Amino acid sequence: KQEITYQIKIPANIGTNKEMQTYYTIEAGANTYESPKIKLETEKEAKLELTVVPNVENGETINENSLLSYEITVKNIGQTPVKNIKISNPTPEGTTLVQTSQTEWTIEELEAGQSQTITAQFTVNSLDEGETNKTIQNTITVEADYLKQPITNTLIYNVEKDELPFEINVRLHEAYGEFRINNKVIYL
C-alpha cells in the first residue's frame, strides 16, 4: 500500500456559492487509474435586496384612521437561487390589519435576478381619549437560507388627531328667522 499526497490550489477571490470538482490519475506502467471525483464547495451565501415603497413617505405626519400601504419587493441579487425566503411585517402597534392583507409570507425559491412583490395594508387606529399624537413604527424583516443576517426596513410615522383644520361660525341675518337643525345654509 502506497500513500499519495497532492495539493489543490484554490484562488483566494473565488467568491461564495461556487462548486468545483476535480480528480487525479495515477499511471502505473501501462495502466491508468482515475480517482473518485473530489467535490469542493465554497461558503453558501444568499444575496437579497429588500425594497419598500410606502403610500406615505417615512417620517411623515399622518392622521388617525389613515391607510398605510406598503409594496414590499424582495429581489435575488446573487448568482444562485435563494430558498425559504420568509417576509415578516407584524401589525404595528396602533394600527389594524386590513382584512385582505397578511403579515407573513414565504417564497419557496427565487432564481438569480428574480423578484417578488407583495402588498401589506394597515389602518391607523383612532387616538385614545386625551392623546393628541403618537408614533407608529413598522418593521419589515426578510430571512432566508444562507442569508448571513436578516434584512430589515423600519418606517416611522407621527400620528395626529384627525380634526378639522378650521372652524365654521354661522351668523344668520334677522330676516332669515331662527336657525334649526337640518336647515340648509347656502353660502354665496
Side-chain angles (χ1 to χ4, degrees):
K1 187 175 184 178
Q2 188 173 3
E3 196 172 297
I4 299 172
T5 304
Y6 64 95
Q7 292 182 333
I8 299 173
K9 290 188 179 183
I10 300 172
N13 61 350
I14 195 166
T16 57
N17 302 322
K18 303 290 182 192
E19 183 179 297
M20 297 173 285
Q21 290 189 26
T22 189
Y23 64 93
Y24 60 89
T25 58
I26 300 174
E27 295 180 11
N31 297 321
T32 301
Y33 302 96
E34 192 174 287
S35 75
K37 294 224 185 294
I38 300 169
K39 183 178 177 181
L40 301 171
E41 292 181 1
T42 62
E43 180 182 20
K44 299 273 187 210
E45 181 181 5
K47 294 183 180 180
L48 296 174
E49 175 181 78
L50 170 63
T51 305
V52 179
V53 178
N55 68 328
V56 178
E57 291 300 316
N58 186 27
E60 292 288 321
T61 297
I62 56 177
N63 288 329
E64 58 186 349
N65 304 311
S66 295
L67 178 69
L68 294 174
S69 182
Y70 305 97
E71 275 190 14
I72 303 165
T73 302
V74 176
K75 182 176 183 180
N76 180 351
I77 58 173
Q79 301 296 316
T80 57
V82 178
K83 295 182 179 185
N84 299 319
I85 302 163
K86 297 190 184 338
I87 303 164
S88 174
N89 185 19
T91 304
E93 188 176 329
T95 69
T96 302
L97 180 68
V98 173
Q99 215 168 22
T100 58
S101 197
Q102 60 190 67
T103 59
E104 292 188 6
W105 301 265
T106 299
I107 302 169
E108 296 298 323
E109 182 174 19
L110 278 181
E111 295 293 330
Q114 262 190 332
S115 64
Q116 189 164 336
T117 300
I118 53 178
T119 301
Q121 293 184 323
F122 304 95
T123 302
V124 178
N125 296 342
S126 296
L127 295 175
D128 291 334
E129 188 69 35
E131 277 187 311
T132 56
N133 67 354
K134 69 177 170 186
T135 300
I136 289 179
Q137 180 173 310
N138 186 12
T139 300
I140 300 155
T141 304
V142 175
E143 298 178 287
D145 290 352
Y146 303 111
L147 189 61
K148 290 200 179 273
Q149 63 185 29
I151 302 169
T152 60
N153 188 322
T154 299
L155 298 115
I156 298 174
Y157 301 100
N158 184 45
V159 179
E160 291 184 343
K161 196 85 170 147
D162 190 13
E163 296 179 324
L164 292 175
F166 56 88
E167 259 182 52
I168 298 176
N169 291 314
V170 177
R171 266 201 264 158
L172 295 174
H173 191 275
E174 293 173 10
Y176 292 112
E178 68 181 70
F179 182 77
R180 293 192 180 127
I181 295 175
N182 296 326
N183 280 7
K184 288 185 181 178
V185 178
I186 299 172
Y187 294 94
L188 304 175

